[in-house]
Amino acid sequence: MAKKSMIEREKKREKLVAQYAEKRAALKAIINDQEKPVEERFKASLELAKLPRNSSATRLHNRCQLTGRPHAYYRKLKISRIALRDLGSNGEIPGMVKSSW
């Protein structure tokens, strides 16, 4: 089980990303538009830098929804390999059988 503080920190980042997504996209559109004057693009880049760091989507890290584990994460299932193995062993995942010999 991951530390509660790390799980909560990740939730806080997810909220910030959702809150600032539109504003970040608008500023990035201005920055990348070659038609705009240099001064306006520079001003937009300064505004983008003023936004919180954790509002960037690249700061997010995938975590297991059951345990909060950050490593060995299966994107399709949104759980870690350990949680997947436990669920498979208990027969809670349809069609999955843990092999043993």
Side-chain angles (χ1 to χ4, degrees), residues 68-84:
R69 180 181 165 86
H71 299 289
Y73 174 84
Y74 289 102
R75 288 182 183 182
K76 193 172 186 179
L77 303 171
K78 297 186 178 181
I79 58 175
S80 67
R81 65 175 174 84
I82 297 169
L84 178 67

Side-chain angles (χ1 to χ4, degrees), residues 36 41 93 98:
K36 302 245 185 225
R41 291 169 50 204
I93 298 178
K98 183 186 169 292

Side-chain angles (χ1 to χ4, degrees), residues 2 6 10 13-14 57-65 67-76 78-80:
M6 297 303 291
E10 198 64 35
R13 284 185 184 140
E14 288 174 3
T58 58
R59 304 274 290 193
L60 292 177
H61 198 279
N62 292 329
R63 287 186 172 270
C64 175
Q65 289 188 343
T67 61
R69 180 181 165 86
H71 299 289
Y73 174 84
Y74 289 102
R75 288 182 183 182
K76 193 172 186 179
K78 297 186 178 181
I79 58 175
S80 67

Side-chain angles (χ1 to χ4, degrees), residues 81-92:
R81 65 175 174 84
I82 297 169
L84 178 67
R85 185 170 190 263
D86 289 342
L87 291 174
S89 294
N90 295 338
E92 297 177 15

